[in-house]
Amino acid sequence: GESVGLHLPTLSVQEGDNSIINCAYSNSASDYFIWYKQESGKGPQFIIDIRSNMDKRQGQRVTVLLNKTVKHLSLQIAATQPGDSAVYFCAENRYFGNEKLTFGTGTRLTIIP
Amino acid sequence: KAGVTQTPRYLIKTRGQQVTLSCSPISGHRSVSWYQQTPGQGLQFLFEYFSETQRNKGNFPGRFSGRQFSNSRSEMNVSTLELGDSALYLCASSPNALTGGRPGEQYFGPGTRLTVT
């Protein structure tokens, strides 16, 4: 069956360092992969997405890498800040217009001051 | 623009009761999705409504239902509550391609924390 999973449940990073959050997926039919950030007491917040025909996409301080060969997705956050502390979810979207997201289990990122 | 709002924020019910949760999407968003979040199962898709029609459905029992009104506001209902229904219920609205939305780009509300005792 389809699934989106994460390698590590927790990650601690020193403030100012870069962090990498990983995600494995099993559904090759997915068209889009998305990263969400969820802070305590809030709903998830869209960070960045990548289409399946790309292998890298950059945003502000974030980069998403997609390796279709090994079905692996990663989110890199540069120069981490205390506000980056949150749970990060990868999600899969089958195609545009389909709003059924399949979420991974989440990684809790803690930024150490 | 105002964000997605959900009411109530917290709810305590007993087993066997039913509950209705409400969601108001961002103005102009016609798609509304519902998710259940629990520590054990994570974020799971319940259903999605677009223009008052259920367009997608997750793998939940028929006790979970929803609807959408002409103003895009949505409600979900859970009948015959079970202890396992205790969760954070999240509503999300989505822009469409014509309004510059990206695939999978959903705007979540703060959720309704449902506790079943």
Side-chain angles (χ1 to χ4, degrees), chain A residues 12 23 29 42 47 50 60 65 73 77 84 88 95 107 109:
Chain A
S12 296
C23 176
K42 297 182 179 179
I47 301 173
I50 188 168
Q60 188 178 11
L65 299 177
L73 186 71
I77 305 174
D84 294 330
Y88 290 81
Y95 53 85
T107 292
L109 176 65

Side-chain angles (χ1 to χ4, degrees), chain B residues 98-114:
Chain B
L98 295 177
T99 56
R102 295 195 61 80
E105 180 184 9
Q106 298 187 2
Y107 293 82
F108 285 81
T112 294
R113 173 74 63 185
L114 172 65

Side-chain angles (χ1 to χ4, degrees), chain A residues 2-32:
Chain A
E2 58 184 69
S3 67
V4 182
L6 290 167
H7 292 171
L8 297 173
T10 61
L11 179 65
S12 296
V13 175
Q14 204 74 36
E15 182 179 353
D17 288 352
N18 299 335
S19 67
I20 300 176
I21 302 171
N22 297 304
C23 176
Y25 66 92
S26 61
N27 193 338
S28 301
S30 298
D31 261 349
Y32 293 91

